[in-house]
Amino acid sequence: MKVAKLEDSVLEEAVMRNDAVCNRFVKWRLLPILLAAIAALLSSTVERFLSDQFHSFRSVHSVNSFNLATVAAAEDGDWTYVEHDLRGTRYSPLTQITPENVSGIAKACAYTFPEAVPSESAPIVSGGVMYLTSQHYTVALDASNCRVLWSNRWVPRDRETVRANRGAAIASGKIIRGTTDDYLLALDVETGKLLWSKQIAKPQDGFFISMPPLVHGDLIYVGPGGSELAVSGWVGAFRLSDGERVWKFNIIPADGEPGAETWGSNPEARKHAGGALWTPLSYDEEKDLLFVAGGNPAPDFYDDARPGVNLYTNSIIALDGKTGRLAWYNQFIPHDVHDYDLTHVNPIFKIGTRTAIATSGKDGMLRVVDANTHQVIYSVPFTTRVNAEAPVTRTPIYVCPGTLGGDEWNGAAFSPALNELVVPSDDNWCANIQKDAGPPDAEKAHYGKELYLGGPLEHPSFSKAQGRMTAFDAATGKELWRYQSPTPLVAGVVLTASGLVFTGETGGYFDALDAKSGKMLVHFLLGATRCKGARSPIPRTMRNMWQSFPETGR
């Protein structure tokens, strides 16, 4: 069985071809955004909780004011970036819902997208309005009752080979998002009217945009995906006012650029070399640095044509936010042959007085990097690892994590109050991999006729996959607690100032745990169809209610 990576249309292929139990991976008939609400009366305040599901599916030695000020900038509870803030902490300053009263959860309302496609979007919330995306739709909802305020449908202008979208950004009265036919869009936040559109890549070359953009100042940062469609990845900055490109950084170096020599002497190796983007970015406003997670090299398994360490794949890449100039990098997996993308370069947080960056990816390793020395402070596993560093040959080898394992498109969270990192993962979703005798066909991959893997890939049944959520001391990497889920955890994780962890499971459950102990406090079945799961909970205070928005999909 050949399957592309989990980041886009792949998981549905994986499950379909494995007779999986998940209806949502097979037909995508409905994409409800379930909004569950907390109905606990606390004195005169009605606390509510809104919940919406998922699709395919973080102690410094002391708390310091830097962390608290950074992650709690929006005291009203707005969630205006998919990772909450530009440092990617996924930490809410809200305190109304506590371990003592979180048990009062009940479903409040629901919204269903007009199109039946995978739901991988992370909601954002501003001023009582929740903004959601699917492949073609961008929707604004009244967050109190799911009433549609406006809806915009993008009519594709070019070829589409995937269906994933992972969210939008909000800035200066605009909603910014990408499309699977490679357009960058700006919509009016009040009306949903299209303000401008720019095609920034070519679908004919295998590109598409699935990642959520990041906006800082007057620049939009985004890059296209498509490593398994034989592209060479890049990230760029675009003007917020009109979408014009300001700079571009090649994750796969072009001829004459530093790093090109790490691909061998044949320049053909860099023409279809992967490294593409599909997960969120982060930004250090103190140093004006954009952090990028370089994806896996390609072909994934057939590596004969790409000798060397293959920069800047599987690397944390620090770029000057204004110019795109490379400031520094650290490559964690040189010459990757397991499809072990680095997926997250956040949260950014403090260990005493030094700035640290948590990184995680599909290899199941949490690495915390010193932002000044650029060296790894510590690295610890958060999934089962078997043959994770073994070479890939013509003989099949069983590896854990598999290409659908580790930390996917939703990353870790950091609590400055507890000095804790919490990492979700797909655990025990292993695979048998091997490489072919010759290279895959790039032209066929461009058009989605085959994947640019360079070898067969076989996953066990989805029913054998599990999830794991692990809490670590953010300063030392010591494991504090873990929760083992019977199904994968691709959901976003949220930590709150009141000491809660919110997440969702692909088994259909919305979870609330005690952040100090990991004790399960709420295990709430959303009740859509089989194999449904809450994803990306986003808490917010509005009027007299406390709300949380996890996303749902089938």
Side-chain angles (χ1 to χ4, degrees):
M1 176 194 70
K2 286 194 175 183
V3 183
K5 68 204 310 171
L6 185 64
E7 64 258 37
D8 294 287
S9 61
V10 196
L11 185 54
E12 59 180 298
E13 290 187 39
V15 178
M16 285 195 301
R17 298 183 186 184
N18 278 292
D19 296 321
V21 294
C22 286
N23 181 5
R24 59 186 172 73
F25 295 125
V26 181
K27 296 297 185 183
W28 311 107
R29 291 179 293 217
L30 299 171
L31 284 176
I33 305 277
L34 296 181
L35 301 173
I38 297 171
L41 279 171
L42 303 174
S43 51
S44 62
T45 304
V46 176
E47 313 255 343
R48 281 202 183 172
F49 177 132
L50 290 173
S51 159
D52 79 33
Q53 196 235 52
F54 122 39
H55 132 329
S56 40
F57 317 120
R58 258 160 263 224
S59 70
V60 295
H61 298 300
S62 62
V63 179
N64 66 62
S65 59
F66 167 88
N67 282 330
L68 292 172
T70 300
V71 301
E75 290 298 332
D76 62 353
D78 277 3
W79 194 285
T80 56
Y81 181 48
V82 296
E83 305 281 31
H84 180 267
D85 50 86
L86 299 185
R87 289 179 172 263
T89 64
R90 302 193 64 87
Y91 175 81
S92 169
L94 301 180
T95 59
Q96 292 96 326
I97 299 301
T98 69
E100 290 73 31
N101 62 40
V102 70
S103 60
I105 290 181
K107 180 177 175 180
C109 61
Y111 169 79
T112 300
F113 277 112
E115 61 179 347
V117 296
S119 176
E120 299 181 17
S121 175
I124 55 176
V125 182
S126 178
V129 179
M130 179 165 59
Y131 303 92
L132 306 160
T133 62
S134 63
Q135 182 184 7
H136 300 118
Y137 283 86
T138 310
V139 182
L141 303 180
D142 184 324
S144 66
N145 57 19
C146 310
R147 179 174 62 92
V148 177
L149 302 177
W150 56 257
S151 178
N152 179 288
R153 179 176 180 266
W154 172 252
V155 178
R157 301 175 183 177
D158 210 330
R159 185 171 61 86
E160 298 176 299
T161 55
V162 300
R163 300 185 291 175
N165 182 272
R166 300 193 175 93
I170 184 170
S172 301
K174 298 179 178 70
I175 299 295
I176 308 297
R177 62 160 294 172
T179 71
T180 48
D181 59 342
D182 289 318
Y183 279 83
L184 190 61
L185 311 180
L187 307 178
D188 185 281
V189 74
E190 298 291 338
T191 66
K193 178 183 177 181
L194 180 65
L195 300 176
W196 54 256
S197 61
K198 295 285 183 180
Q199 191 173 39
I200 65 172
K202 296 180 179 180
Q204 292 79 7
D205 293 334
F207 290 110
F208 55 86
I209 303 172
S210 62
M211 68 171 292
L214 182 150
V215 179
H216 180 256
D218 60 354
L219 293 179
I220 304 164
Y221 302 101
V222 71
S227 290
E228 278 65 46
L229 298 180
V231 308
S232 288
W234 56 267
V235 63
F238 301 83
R239 284 203 303 252
L240 181 59
S241 58
D242 58 10
E244 289 295 325
R245 195 173 77 192
V246 175
W247 56 256
K248 175 184 177 182
F249 176 83
N250 292 315
I251 297 172
I252 307 301
D255 291 350
E257 293 183 341
E261 72 282 357
T262 67
W263 291 83
S265 59
N266 188 350
E268 291 295 314
R270 290 178 280 110
K271 287 188 176 181
H272 314 290
L277 302 181
W278 51 286
T279 54
L281 309 171
S282 64
Y283 202 98
D284 186 340
E285 294 182 281
E286 285 189 340
K287 297 183 178 181
D288 221 12
L289 289 178
L290 175 73
F291 292 104
V292 181
N296 67 282
D300 299 41
F301 309 139
Y302 182 82
D303 61 334
D304 293 19
R306 51 174 178 92
V309 299
N310 305 151
L311 292 176
Y312 296 93
T313 63
N314 302 87
S315 302
I316 178 174
I317 307 165
L319 304 176
D320 183 295
K322 292 184 173 63
T323 67
R325 180 183 62 85
L326 178 65
W328 59 270
Y329 73 92
N330 191 327
Q331 186 182 47
F332 301 130
I333 311 176
H335 194 86
D336 172 34
V337 290
H338 289 232
D339 188 21
Y340 279 164
D341 305 64
L342 181 69
T343 55
H344 293 277
V345 285
N346 64 284
I348 304 171
F349 61 100
K350 286 285 188 177
I351 297 178
T353 59
R354 61 179 173 173
T355 300
I357 309 163
T359 70
S360 55
K362 290 169 58 178
D363 68 337
M365 294 294 296
L366 170 66
R367 300 174 180 89
V368 172
V369 178
D370 188 307
N372 293 318
T373 68
H374 318 149
Q375 300 304 305
V376 175
I377 300 170
Y378 62 82
S379 61
V380 289
F382 57 83
T383 62
T384 302
R385 283 170 53 88
V386 177
N387 293 325
E389 297 179 5
V392 176
T393 68
R394 296 290 309 282
T395 302
I397 184 173
Y398 181 77
V399 298
C400 302
T403 63
L404 302 181
D407 189 9
E408 295 289 337
W409 60 86
N410 278 308
F414 170 72
S415 169
L418 297 176
N419 303 313
E420 180 179 84
L421 288 164
V422 177
V423 189
S425 69
D426 294 352
D427 193 27
N428 286 316
W429 206 347
C430 308
N432 289 299
I433 60 176
Q434 68 183 95
K435 71 177 181 181
D436 287 334
D441 189 315
E443 194 67 22
K444 288 182 179 179
H446 284 339
Y447 284 86
K449 295 179 180 179
E450 69 178 39
L451 298 169
Y452 202 62
L453 299 178
L457 167 63
E458 181 181 3
H459 284 92
S461 168
F462 175 82
S463 62
K464 295 182 179 181
Q466 297 177 320
R468 184 196 297 184
M469 183 164 56
T470 314
F472 298 96
D473 182 302
T476 67
K478 177 184 177 181
E479 183 174 318
L480 302 175
W481 54 261
R482 73 170 66 172
Y483 166 64
Q484 198 77 33
S485 167
T487 54
L489 293 176
V490 191
V493 173
V494 172
L495 290 169
T496 74
S498 60
L500 289 168
V501 182
F502 290 112
T503 192
E505 305 181 23
T506 54
Y509 288 91
F510 177 82
D511 297 339
L513 298 86
D514 188 302
K516 292 181 180 179
S517 66
K519 179 183 177 181
M520 184 67 69
L521 303 174
V522 169
H523 192 56
F524 179 78
L525 185 61
L526 294 176
T529 63
R530 60 196 178 107
C531 207
K532 57 276 171 205
R535 185 170 63 80
S536 300
I538 295 178
R540 168 179 159 76
T541 299
M542 183 175 65
R543 303 186 186 96
N544 288 326
M545 62 177 71
W546 186 98
Q547 305 174 329
S548 173
F549 317 113
E551 182 177 344
T552 72
R554 300 182 192 178

